[in-house]
Each structure stands twice: as structure tokens, then as C-alpha cells.
Amino acid sequence: SELTFASILNEPYYILISGQGENSGNFTLSVSCVPLPCETPSLTAEAICETEDSDNFYIETEATLGNGNTYTLSNNFDSNTLNVESNGIYQIGPFPNNTIVDITLTDNADETCHTMASSLSANCITPTVPPNDLCEDAISLSCGQIISGTTVNATPAGTPIAACGTVPGVSG
């Protein structure tokens, strides 16, 4: 006799073999297991910033599992991993700003069945806006005074204006 069925990984199975009278005797039982071919999981990932942590970035992933039961989400920066048992959104990190991180989603039963998101990075440092950013923050000038400043990280104001406040010959 031969019995063929699809089994579930790590589940115990019991086979009853019986015989009486002239139907009794020795038997040989041979069990072979053939793994299912890999159904590759899918992974999308995005580097994101958290407002309370400007020194680091995080990676938000959306995992769609293949035909495996459990998966591991890992990265090439550190040894931290996350167990993934269902489709969904998962966040990993933190990672230092400007670090390049690769993320891998691997079937725990078949290491060859995996997918990857590569070269994720972010800089979450909020740039410092200059003190003279907009007209309402303009630095007051006096005759003969020398002022140094910057417009680096200034707020884009649209069309440039010649001056803020009162200028001789200009209303406002």
C-alpha cells in the first residue's frame, strides 16, 4: 500500500498499522518528505524619521509571506531580528543617520527562500533655521553696522522681495 498526503511542517502524524490472523506479519514503513517549492515572500520598505529621535532613522516594512509558516526580518547593520508570522507592517530600528541598511525577510524553514530591500537610509536631523528666516524675524540694521548671517536652511518664501519693513520711498 502507499499513502500520499500534504503535511504541515513540525506537526506530528500517527499511522495505525494493524493485522489479525493470516493478515498479520512483518511490515516495513518508509516515510519520505518532499518540501514544497519556495513561494517567495514580498517586502516593501521605507526609511522613516520619528519626531522624538532625530539621531536615528527607522525602517517601516510591509511583508507579504510566501508558503512558509514563520519568517525572520533581519538587517545587515546589527544582529537584531524580528519574527514575522503574518502579513503586515513591521518597524525595525533604530539605525544611525546616514547608515545604509539592507533588510532581508527569510523563511525560517528554508533559508534559500527570502527577499530583500536594499540601500535604505535617512538623515533625520532637523536643519536649524537661521534667525533671520522671514520678514517677521528680520535683523534690525543701523548705519555703519556690519551684519553676518546665512540663508542656509531658510524657509522658501516664493518670489524674493527687496526689503522687509520700512524703506525710504517704499510703502509698507
Side-chain angles (χ1 to χ4, degrees):
S1 295
E2 183 177 304
L3 173 65
T4 302
F5 62 95
S7 62
I8 298 173
L9 181 68
N10 297 324
E11 287 290 321
Y13 291 92
Y14 303 94
I15 299 173
L16 174 65
I17 301 172
S18 66
Q20 298 179 17
E22 56 185 66
N23 290 327
S24 63
N26 298 329
F27 67 89
T28 301
L29 179 63
S30 175
V31 178
S32 60
C33 300
V34 178
L36 293 172
C38 170
E39 182 182 305
T40 305
S42 67
L43 180 68
T44 57
E46 178 183 11
I48 61 169
C49 297
E50 295 286 342
T51 54
E52 61 278 347
D53 187 3
S54 64
D55 293 331
N56 299 292
F57 71 96
Y58 297 77
I59 297 177
E60 186 172 275
T61 66
E62 183 170 1
T64 303
L65 307 184
N67 56 353
N69 291 329
T70 61
Y71 291 76
T72 298
L73 195 58
S74 60
N75 68 82
N76 67 329
F77 178 75
D78 58 31
S79 61
N80 293 328
T81 61
L82 186 64
N83 289 329
V84 177
E85 295 181 356
S86 62
N87 296 339
I89 295 174
Y90 298 88
Q91 188 179 86
I92 56 174
F95 302 102
N97 284 332
N98 300 315
T99 303
I100 297 174
V101 180
D102 299 331
I103 302 299
T104 305
L105 181 63
T106 306
D107 183 337
N108 291 336
D110 180 1
E111 290 183 1
T112 65
C113 190
H114 65 275
T115 191
M116 188 175 197
S118 299
S119 302
L120 299 156
S121 187
N123 183 350
C124 297
I125 296 173
T126 305
T128 303
V129 176
N132 61 324
D133 190 38
L134 300 170
C135 281
E136 55 268 17
D137 300 319
I139 298 171
S140 177
L141 299 174
S142 301
C143 289
Q145 186 179 13
I146 298 174
I147 300 285
S148 296
T150 183
T151 58
V152 173
N153 298 322
T155 303
T159 305
I161 55 175
C164 295
T166 307
V167 176
V170 177
S171 61

